[in-house]
Amino acid sequence: MVSTDDYDVLIVGAGPSGLMLATWLAKLKVRTRIVDKSSVKVLAGHADGVQCRTVEVFQSFGFAHRLVDEGAHINEVVFWQPSANGGLERSKRTPDNEPGTSRFPHAVLGQGRIERFLLDAMKGFNDLTVDRAIAPTSLTVDPALVDDFSPSSYPITLTLRHLTEEESTPTQVGAVPNGLHRSNLLSDDEADAMHGTAAGGAYAGAGQEETVRAKFVVGCDGARSWVRKQLRISLEGEAANSVWGVMDAICLTDFPDIRLKCTIHSKDAGSILVVPRERSYVRFYVQLGTTEPGQRFDRSSVTPESIIKRAQAIFAPYKLECPEIEWWTVYEVNQRVAAKVTLDNRVFIAGDAFHTHSPKAGQGMNTSMMDSYNLGWKLASVLAGKASPSLLSTYEEERHKIAKELIERDYTLSRMFAARPKEEGGTGEGVSHEDFKKFFQSIGRWASGTAVHYNPNLLTAPERETSLAPGLPHGERFSSHGVVSIADARPWHLGDRFVSDGRWRVVIFAGDVRESEQRAKLDQVAAYLDSPSGFLRTYTPADDDLDSVVEVLTVISNPRISVEPNAFPDVLWPPLKPWGSRAYDKLYADDASPVTPNDRGEIYKNLGIDPKTGCIAVVRPDQHVSLVCAIDEVEQVGDFFSRFMIPPQ
Amino acid sequence: MVSTDDYDVLIVGAGPSGLMLATWLAKLKVRTRIVDKSSVKVLAGHADGVQCRTVEVFQSFGFAHRLVDEGAHINEVVFWQPSANGGLERSKRTPDNEPGTSRFPHAVLGQGRIERFLLDAMKGFNDLTVDRAIAPTSLTVDPALVDDFSPSSYPITLTLRHLTEEESTPTQVGAVPNGLHRSNLLSDDEADAMHGTAAGGAYAGAGQEETVRAKFVVGCDGARSWVRKQLRISLEGEAANSVWGVMDAICLTDFPDIRLKCTIHSKDAGSILVVPRERSYVRFYVQLGTTEPGQRFDRSSVTPESIIKRAQAIFAPYKLECPEIEWWTVYEVNQRVAAKVTLDNRVFIAGDAFHTHSPKAGQGMNTSMMDSYNLGWKLASVLAGKASPSLLSTYEEERHKIAKELIERDYTLSRMFAARPKEEGGTGEGVSHEDFKKFFQSIGRWASGTAVHYNPNLLTAPERETSLAPGLPHGERFSSHGVVSIADARPWHLGDRFVSDGRWRVVIFAGDVRESEQRAKLDQVAAYLDSPSGFLRTYTPADDDLDSVVEVLTVISNPRISVEPNAFPDVLWPPLKPWGSRAYDKLYADDASPVTPNDRGEIYKNLGIDPKTGCIAVVRPDQHVSLVCAIDEVEQVGDFFSRFMIPPQ
């Protein structure tokens, strides 16, 4: 019997990473608890940038529109440099993302609102809410149970302490809301001072404790992660810091690009990054200094007024007044990444617990959410007995590479941003404005989150020598393009069909099925899919709909009206429960809708797929492409699934 | 002192028309009460089609995405006719709407869901909810107060009866949910049988009564409207009925177009209209017979089985099985419209109380909501003392024309639909399939709701001989196209800026402001707008933001980056409270965003506006165009507003 204190997954920390994981697990109906030491969620400030790829993930959960409606949108980046006459001048405008990067914009909205969307989603999916003012005080893993995935096995035991109001309310320094109580500093001092030591010291008697068991624990508990400390995982990377002031303010200015993302390199006053925000706010990042290893920056010297003063000097000769400051903080940046991210694939860390870096590339919140988006469906698959626990190793393989890329690029960006501008053509120290621009542009697609590339592993097949779909590299997220539904003529972005519901998708780019040879190949695919040894029948429980584990979508290259739904083999649009109505929404054409004839998505052309012969793409529950094979190689898909999928008992 | 039983507007009836009005009034913070005699809202069946124009209005309230996500989309209409070999064949496919009709699809979703969206919106805007199980039993208007618009004047007194559970729960005929308790029949018998007579008969003692006063009452209480009866308004139009069966069912069929909107004219078995629905349902309309005036159709002969049987005969040789029926009804159609729609512009009727007709053109729910969308902002303007009560006369002028057009077209459509098919080229009785197709296509734009055209009146200027913007006819809704925001490079559909918030909009199509002559004209417009005699200063309270009564938007034809926001006169992007931050969102260019360079909206070209000289368009709070004038005729806009706007006291 399962006691009420046993959980499949216990999440420590309800920031973006923890909430994304909770949202995923709620959607997949996993028995989850999420605790946070703070009694209140973030309201103002903190992270803000939401990259295109993250918006795609929000779309897959159904709430992208909330972000798109509320957020400021970043469409252009402008580089400003000192002008010959002692002022400032634009040196370049560039699109924030290359056209075609994503169907969604890069949006900016306060972390508190992002958390609100996730909180609402997890509540809606499975009535899951955050247990606040709770901190873990002990964590033990029973080595004898680590490899026991039977339903009654709970290898992890935690003690959770219910904090007092005093303990769990962030302290505030100064009158203007700021981030000083939970800045990005990698010191545990503040946390310990607030909540007592991890072993349960100063406040041990203040609240009650409970003991719970879990199959998995995920530490999404920030840069000073308690979970990471229990796992004795070290951080690797730079120890030297640069110190930055950050501020969300209303700006009255004659600077013309205050609603665009700008970098301004002044001649003598330093550099500033300007990011427009929702509700007419603007975020500034201003460099305040650097510290050497072991040195501490004297934060008491920094005030909102001093940040504004520095910004005014950089903006000159443009005027700048800030009549309202919503939030500000000081952070000392160092680029560090955890040496490993799991203990026995039972306890994991994600988000800031995993990697710390500057916020200037706008990656922190995004990478943190994508960590747990990578992990969530894997946990759920293993818990449901649908996939081998070997799947879990791919979390570290995949995300550690991404974290290291982040750290490396952020290191370069921070150094370039912090350096004194070098005269064009000059020698000596410093970074030329030209070099800075070049680097900034070179990381564009990376910064959008759409370039994340996982290396070949259990879930990602090696790339074949000549790709059948150059636009769908193995290991990258499926790049969406428009198609039209054959049965109802509705235009869709194919990516909007990749809902985050835990299902794999196999997209059959069937080519031109008017050609009898190609049509015969499609019939062979269908015969395989419908056979007892095909992956659909092998992995789908007999009582479930045939699309419940792997959803097969077919996209033909010939015009919609050149083929009837009835002409497709049954297995490609199977009857569904409870009434046996046909799944008309599985069949698409590379064509336009009659109501929007000029909006043809050209998915074959855009993905580089041969419109005669097509191909087959295997897409993970997190929308990454695992494998592309030829249409007469469909058994490769079965072989692929057989590496980790478990048939129903 | 205002007692708690006084309301600015009392709405009788919480169907689509009443709820749209309540949503509008909630948004505009009008003191509103909405009552409905039924204890429960509609759950299944009833109306379902939501035309493009209605989706635009939903967008202006912020919930279009809910409909677009949940609804089935209608993209194509297919006409089927008897084939030479005794079967059926497609005679034509046509886009459901002409490409470019609207930026939104024609969607289909059950009335219960539409009502849910409206209920959620009115709750969100002003915490307004429906008082259910309440019916008015008396209504009196004090003639002495009809023209008294002082705050303390409440000319209308109503008695409201709180119904018992028995009275307020719709009775159900048969096992499958159906519409027989509230069909479109114009008989008051059923209502009286259910709730007692209007004077308060059979159930008078069953519940409590309350007396309330109101400044305005709007009867949105359906085809058997109690309010209309109090006003002794007669219905005009046809008395002869045709009788139809309607059903929402799951369909198992090999008919290939079951997910498209289809008309099927069979050789001998009659005609059917097929409309795909959400959740894999399909709606059928099947003709069952006709009745002469005074005759009653024997509904007891109609069952779900008999409707299916008829449908099967029409579908033959295609197979059709319906394993699940969600809802069905029988209706007898007659086309009738109320002779007038108001008593002294204090009591109004809207929706089915105003016009009754067949559902086959998909207009009922749409026209009903558009009635009250037309009325809502006018009531609010008069109540706020911002507009002369003369504004209210435009409701009848505008909507009576629309209702009559609806009745006329529906009459023709119903007759054509019900007629026996005539052999092509034959003489004799009946309607040829060719004629039917032609008529159906000819009413396409009308059916989308975007062709609604109000004649010149207080709010609609007569068209000039040579229009400055052929795409913006006076009296029609503003046809939206893409623009780009100058300050932040964000692509917008200009229509998405026309939020339903009660404000008028003046769009200055400024032309090419790089030309000094044109720039001088824009400066003159700005000087007028900024002057004490200009309409902005005249009608905006001194303490309010300058965009709070009329929002001025500027759209230039030259490229975005050819002009700085700072280059625009202050009044075109005024500082806003509370901090004096500039309204950067007032300035647009006919250009593409850098992230979507191929999506240029070409608003000048699409609206037929000269890109050198531009024009000025005045747009009502309900998005209809009142006036287009030349850029050097801006004082005409002031003259226009002076006809009905009232300066602040």
Side-chain angles (χ1 to χ4, degrees), chain A residues 471-493:
Chain A
L472 294 178
H474 296 178
E476 295 194 10
R477 74 85 165 87
F478 190 100
S479 174
S480 178
H481 296 278
V483 293
V484 66
S485 165
I486 290 175
D488 65 5
R490 175 172 173 176
W492 279 92
H493 243 279

PDB file of all heavy atoms in Angstrom, chain A residues 471-493:
ATOM      1  N   GLY A 471      17.027  19.963 -42.920  1.00  0.00           N
ATOM      2  CA  GLY A 471      16.394  20.878 -41.969  1.00  0.00           C
ATOM      3  C   GLY A 471      15.990  20.207 -40.666  1.00  0.00           C
ATOM      4  O   GLY A 471      15.448  20.861 -39.780  1.00  0.00           O
ATOM      5  N   LEU A 472      16.230  18.905 -40.553  1.00  0.00           N
ATOM      6  CA  LEU A 472      15.869  18.173 -39.326  1.00  0.00           C
ATOM      7  C   LEU A 472      17.087  17.403 -38.808  1.00  0.00           C
ATOM      8  O   LEU A 472      17.084  16.168 -38.785  1.00  0.00           O
ATOM      9  CB  LEU A 472      14.733  17.182 -39.606  1.00  0.00           C
ATOM     10  CG  LEU A 472      13.363  17.742 -39.987  1.00  0.00           C
ATOM     11  CD1 LEU A 472      12.390  16.593 -40.276  1.00  0.00           C
ATOM     12  CD2 LEU A 472      12.801  18.626 -38.877  1.00  0.00           C
ATOM     13  N   PRO A 473      18.142  18.113 -38.378  1.00  0.00           N
ATOM     14  CA  PRO A 473      19.310  17.379 -37.873  1.00  0.00           C
ATOM     15  C   PRO A 473      18.936  16.554 -36.640  1.00  0.00           C
ATOM     16  O   PRO A 473      18.159  17.015 -35.794  1.00  0.00           O
ATOM     17  CB  PRO A 473      20.288  18.500 -37.483  1.00  0.00           C
ATOM     18  CG  PRO A 473      19.776  19.736 -38.136  1.00  0.00           C
ATOM     19  CD  PRO A 473      18.290  19.562 -38.279  1.00  0.00           C
ATOM     20  N   HIS A 474      19.475  15.339 -36.581  1.00  0.00           N
ATOM     21  CA  HIS A 474      19.280  14.532 -35.373  1.00  0.00           C
ATOM     22  C   HIS A 474      19.757  15.322 -34.159  1.00  0.00           C
ATOM     23  O   HIS A 474      20.809  15.931 -34.184  1.00  0.00           O
ATOM     24  CB  HIS A 474      20.090  13.234 -35.450  1.00  0.00           C
ATOM     25  CG  HIS A 474      19.658  12.316 -36.554  1.00  0.00           C
ATOM     26  ND1 HIS A 474      20.279  11.113 -36.820  1.00  0.00           N
ATOM     27  CD2 HIS A 474      18.643  12.408 -37.455  1.00  0.00           C
ATOM     28  CE1 HIS A 474      19.676  10.517 -37.839  1.00  0.00           C
ATOM     29  NE2 HIS A 474      18.687  11.283 -38.241  1.00  0.00           N
ATOM     30  N   GLY A 475      18.979  15.280 -33.106  1.00  0.00           N
ATOM     31  CA  GLY A 475      19.383  15.937 -31.862  1.00  0.00           C
ATOM     32  C   GLY A 475      18.894  17.361 -31.717  1.00  0.00           C
ATOM     33  O   GLY A 475      18.973  17.927 -30.632  1.00  0.00           O
ATOM     34  N   GLU A 476      18.365  17.968 -32.800  1.00  0.00           N
ATOM     35  CA  GLU A 476      17.820  19.327 -32.688  1.00  0.00           C
ATOM     36  C   GLU A 476      16.298  19.275 -32.602  1.00  0.00           C
ATOM     37  O   GLU A 476      15.685  18.289 -32.996  1.00  0.00           O
ATOM     38  CB  GLU A 476      18.257  20.184 -33.873  1.00  0.00           C
ATOM     39  CG  GLU A 476      19.762  20.403 -33.891  1.00  0.00           C
ATOM     40  CD  GLU A 476      20.200  21.523 -34.836  1.00  0.00           C
ATOM     41  OE1 GLU A 476      19.341  22.263 -35.338  1.00  0.00           O
ATOM     42  OE2 GLU A 476      21.418  21.626 -35.057  1.00  0.00           O
ATOM     43  N   ARG A 477      15.726  20.355 -32.139  1.00  0.00           N
ATOM     44  CA  ARG A 477      14.275  20.379 -32.033  1.00  0.00           C
ATOM     45  C   ARG A 477      13.670  20.456 -33.440  1.00  0.00           C
ATOM     46  O   ARG A 477      14.235  21.057 -34.337  1.00  0.00           O
ATOM     47  CB  ARG A 477      13.792  21.521 -31.145  1.00  0.00           C
ATOM     48  CG  ARG A 477      13.868  22.942 -31.713  1.00  0.00           C
ATOM     49  CD  ARG A 477      12.669  23.263 -32.529  1.00  0.00           C
ATOM     50  NE  ARG A 477      12.474  24.665 -32.814  1.00  0.00           N
ATOM     51  CZ  ARG A 477      12.991  25.323 -33.838  1.00  0.00           C
ATOM     52  NH1 ARG A 477      13.824  24.750 -34.672  1.00  0.00           N
ATOM     53  NH2 ARG A 477      12.671  26.591 -34.046  1.00  0.00           N
ATOM     54  N   PHE A 478      12.502  19.820 -33.620  1.00  0.00           N
ATOM     55  CA  PHE A 478      11.819  19.809 -34.912  1.00  0.00           C
ATOM     56  C   PHE A 478      11.501  21.242 -35.321  1.00  0.00           C
ATOM     57  O   PHE A 478      10.812  21.967 -34.604  1.00  0.00           O
ATOM     58  CB  PHE A 478      10.535  18.989 -34.811  1.00  0.00           C
ATOM     59  CG  PHE A 478       9.875  18.710 -36.135  1.00  0.00           C
ATOM     60  CD1 PHE A 478      10.041  17.475 -36.751  1.00  0.00           C
ATOM     61  CD2 PHE A 478       9.088  19.662 -36.758  1.00  0.00           C
ATOM     62  CE1 PHE A 478       9.435  17.200 -37.978  1.00  0.00           C
ATOM     63  CE2 PHE A 478       8.479  19.406 -37.980  1.00  0.00           C
ATOM     64  CZ  PHE A 478       8.649  18.166 -38.593  1.00  0.00           C
ATOM     65  N   SER A 479      11.976  21.632 -36.478  1.00  0.00           N
ATOM     66  CA  SER A 479      11.724  22.986 -36.976  1.00  0.00           C
ATOM     67  C   SER A 479      10.372  23.004 -37.682  1.00  0.00           C
ATOM     68  O   SER A 479      10.179  22.347 -38.689  1.00  0.00           O
ATOM     69  CB  SER A 479      12.855  23.354 -37.939  1.00  0.00           C
ATOM     70  OG  SER A 479      12.597  24.593 -38.542  1.00  0.00           O
ATOM     71  N   SER A 480       9.456  23.771 -37.144  1.00  0.00           N
ATOM     72  CA  SER A 480       8.063  23.706 -37.622  1.00  0.00           C
ATOM     73  C   SER A 480       7.826  24.541 -38.874  1.00  0.00           C
ATOM     74  O   SER A 480       8.365  25.647 -39.010  1.00  0.00           O
ATOM     75  CB  SER A 480       7.125  24.180 -36.512  1.00  0.00           C
ATOM     76  OG  SER A 480       5.794  24.174 -36.971  1.00  0.00           O
ATOM     77  N   HIS A 481       7.000  24.005 -39.748  1.00  0.00           N
ATOM     78  CA  HIS A 481       6.552  24.746 -40.923  1.00  0.00           C
ATOM     79  C   HIS A 481       5.073  24.461 -41.150  1.00  0.00           C
ATOM     80  O   HIS A 481       4.519  23.530 -40.567  1.00  0.00           O
ATOM     81  CB  HIS A 481       7.392  24.368 -42.143  1.00  0.00           C
ATOM     82  CG  HIS A 481       8.828  24.751 -41.987  1.00  0.00           C
ATOM     83  ND1 HIS A 481       9.288  26.020 -42.240  1.00  0.00           N
ATOM     84  CD2 HIS A 481       9.889  24.052 -41.537  1.00  0.00           C
ATOM     85  CE1 HIS A 481      10.580  26.069 -41.983  1.00  0.00           C
ATOM     86  NE2 HIS A 481      10.971  24.897 -41.550  1.00  0.00           N
ATOM     87  N   GLY A 482       4.475  25.256 -42.013  1.00  0.00           N
ATOM     88  CA  GLY A 482       3.041  25.134 -42.230  1.00  0.00           C
ATOM     89  C   GLY A 482       2.670  23.947 -43.107  1.00  0.00           C
ATOM     90  O   GLY A 482       3.391  23.598 -44.038  1.00  0.00           O
ATOM     91  N   VAL A 483       1.545  23.333 -42.794  1.00  0.00           N
ATOM     92  CA  VAL A 483       0.953  22.268 -43.601  1.00  0.00           C
ATOM     93  C   VAL A 483      -0.556  22.518 -43.607  1.00  0.00           C
ATOM     94  O   VAL A 483      -1.046  23.441 -42.940  1.00  0.00           O
ATOM     95  CB  VAL A 483       1.243  20.862 -43.003  1.00  0.00           C
ATOM     96  CG1 VAL A 483       2.737  20.539 -43.080  1.00  0.00           C
ATOM     97  CG2 VAL A 483       0.746  20.765 -41.568  1.00  0.00           C
ATOM     98  N   VAL A 484      -1.280  21.719 -44.363  1.00  0.00           N
ATOM     99  CA  VAL A 484      -2.736  21.833 -44.330  1.00  0.00           C
ATOM    100  C   VAL A 484      -3.318  20.455 -44.053  1.00  0.00           C
ATOM    101  O   VAL A 484      -2.828  19.433 -44.563  1.00  0.00           O
ATOM    102  CB  VAL A 484      -3.281  22.456 -45.643  1.00  0.00           C
ATOM    103  CG1 VAL A 484      -3.050  21.545 -46.834  1.00  0.00           C
ATOM    104  CG2 VAL A 484      -4.766  22.791 -45.498  1.00  0.00           C
ATOM    105  N   SER A 485      -4.327  20.437 -43.224  1.00  0.00           N
ATOM    106  CA  SER A 485      -4.978  19.182 -42.872  1.00  0.00           C
ATOM    107  C   SER A 485      -5.817  18.703 -44.055  1.00  0.00           C
ATOM    108  O   SER A 485      -6.598  19.470 -44.625  1.00  0.00           O
ATOM    109  CB  SER A 485      -5.859  19.405 -41.638  1.00  0.00           C
ATOM    110  OG  SER A 485      -6.746  18.339 -41.474  1.00  0.00           O
ATOM    111  N   ILE A 486      -5.644  17.457 -44.434  1.00  0.00           N
ATOM    112  CA  ILE A 486      -6.323  16.953 -45.636  1.00  0.00           C
ATOM    113  C   ILE A 486      -7.841  16.894 -45.428  1.00  0.00           C
ATOM    114  O   ILE A 486      -8.616  17.292 -46.292  1.00  0.00           O
ATOM    115  CB  ILE A 486      -5.767  15.565 -46.019  1.00  0.00           C
ATOM    116  CG1 ILE A 486      -4.326  15.725 -46.529  1.00  0.00           C
ATOM    117  CG2 ILE A 486      -6.644  14.892 -47.088  1.00  0.00           C
ATOM    118  CD1 ILE A 486      -3.616  14.417 -46.824  1.00  0.00           C
ATOM    119  N   ALA A 487      -8.267  16.449 -44.262  1.00  0.00           N
ATOM    120  CA  ALA A 487      -9.701  16.217 -44.077  1.00  0.00           C
ATOM    121  C   ALA A 487     -10.504  17.501 -43.942  1.00  0.00           C
ATOM    122  O   ALA A 487     -11.640  17.572 -44.392  1.00  0.00           O
ATOM    123  CB  ALA A 487      -9.934  15.338 -42.849  1.00  0.00           C
ATOM    124  N   ASP A 488      -9.936  18.531 -43.295  1.00  0.00           N
ATOM    125  CA  ASP A 488     -10.741  19.730 -43.041  1.00  0.00           C
ATOM    126  C   ASP A 488     -10.123  21.001 -43.610  1.00  0.00           C
ATOM    127  O   ASP A 488     -10.624  22.096 -43.338  1.00  0.00           O
ATOM    128  CB  ASP A 488     -11.044  19.877 -41.546  1.00  0.00           C
ATOM    129  CG  ASP A 488      -9.802  20.122 -40.705  1.00  0.00           C
ATOM    130  OD1 ASP A 488      -8.710  20.284 -41.286  1.00  0.00           O
ATOM    131  OD2 ASP A 488      -9.921  20.142 -39.468  1.00  0.00           O
ATOM    132  N   ALA A 489      -9.034  20.876 -44.380  1.00  0.00           N
ATOM    133  CA  ALA A 489      -8.447  22.021 -45.090  1.00  0.00           C
ATOM    134  C   ALA A 489      -7.938  23.096 -44.137  1.00  0.00           C
ATOM    135  O   ALA A 489      -7.752  24.242 -44.524  1.00  0.00           O
ATOM    136  CB  ALA A 489      -9.450  22.619 -46.091  1.00  0.00           C
ATOM    137  N   ARG A 490      -7.707  22.717 -42.888  1.00  0.00           N
ATOM    138  CA  ARG A 490      -7.255  23.717 -41.915  1.00  0.00           C
ATOM    139  C   ARG A 490      -5.740  23.886 -41.974  1.00  0.00           C
ATOM    140  O   ARG A 490      -5.004  22.917 -41.945  1.00  0.00           O
ATOM    141  CB  ARG A 490      -7.656  23.286 -40.502  1.00  0.00           C
ATOM    142  CG  ARG A 490      -7.125  24.206 -39.415  1.00  0.00           C
ATOM    143  CD  ARG A 490      -7.702  23.847 -38.059  1.00  0.00           C
ATOM    144  NE  ARG A 490      -7.066  24.617 -37.000  1.00  0.00           N
ATOM    145  CZ  ARG A 490      -7.420  24.560 -35.725  1.00  0.00           C
ATOM    146  NH1 ARG A 490      -8.420  23.778 -35.357  1.00  0.00           N
ATOM    147  NH2 ARG A 490      -6.803  25.288 -34.826  1.00  0.00           N
ATOM    148  N   PRO A 491      -5.270  25.139 -42.041  1.00  0.00           N
ATOM    149  CA  PRO A 491      -3.823  25.350 -42.006  1.00  0.00           C
ATOM    150  C   PRO A 491      -3.297  25.170 -40.576  1.00  0.00           C
ATOM    151  O   PRO A 491      -3.922  25.625 -39.618  1.00  0.00           O
ATOM    152  CB  PRO A 491      -3.676  26.812 -42.450  1.00  0.00           C
ATOM    153  CG  PRO A 491      -4.968  27.476 -42.112  1.00  0.00           C
ATOM    154  CD  PRO A 491      -6.034  26.400 -42.161  1.00  0.00           C
ATOM    155  N   TRP A 492      -2.183  24.480 -40.469  1.00  0.00           N
ATOM    156  CA  TRP A 492      -1.552  24.244 -39.170  1.00  0.00           C
ATOM    157  C   TRP A 492      -0.058  24.506 -39.286  1.00  0.00           C
ATOM    158  O   TRP A 492       0.537  24.218 -40.321  1.00  0.00           O
ATOM    159  CB  TRP A 492      -1.678  22.754 -38.776  1.00  0.00           C
ATOM    160  CG  TRP A 492      -2.966  22.328 -38.191  1.00  0.00           C
ATOM    161  CD1 TRP A 492      -4.024  21.834 -38.880  1.00  0.00           C
ATOM    162  CD2 TRP A 492      -3.335  22.297 -36.808  1.00  0.00           C
ATOM    163  NE1 TRP A 492      -5.038  21.501 -38.006  1.00  0.00           N
ATOM    164  CE2 TRP A 492      -4.637  21.783 -36.735  1.00  0.00           C
ATOM    165  CE3 TRP A 492      -2.688  22.658 -35.622  1.00  0.00           C
ATOM    166  CZ2 TRP A 492      -5.318  21.619 -35.532  1.00  0.00           C
ATOM    167  CZ3 TRP A 492      -3.356  22.501 -34.427  1.00  0.00           C
ATOM    168  CH2 TRP A 492      -4.659  21.987 -34.383  1.00  0.00           C
ATOM    169  N   HIS A 493       0.550  24.979 -38.218  1.00  0.00           N
ATOM    170  CA  HIS A 493       1.978  24.791 -38.075  1.00  0.00           C
ATOM    171  C   HIS A 493       2.131  23.375 -37.544  1.00  0.00           C
ATOM    172  O   HIS A 493       1.552  23.042 -36.509  1.00  0.00           O
ATOM    173  CB  HIS A 493       2.574  25.812 -37.105  1.00  0.00           C
ATOM    174  CG  HIS A 493       3.563  26.710 -37.761  1.00  0.00           C
ATOM    175  ND1 HIS A 493       4.853  26.355 -37.989  1.00  0.00           N
ATOM    176  CD2 HIS A 493       3.424  27.953 -38.281  1.00  0.00           C
ATOM    177  CE1 HIS A 493       5.496  27.326 -38.595  1.00  0.00           C
ATOM    178  NE2 HIS A 493       4.647  28.314 -38.795  1.00  0.00           N
TER     179      HIS A 493
END
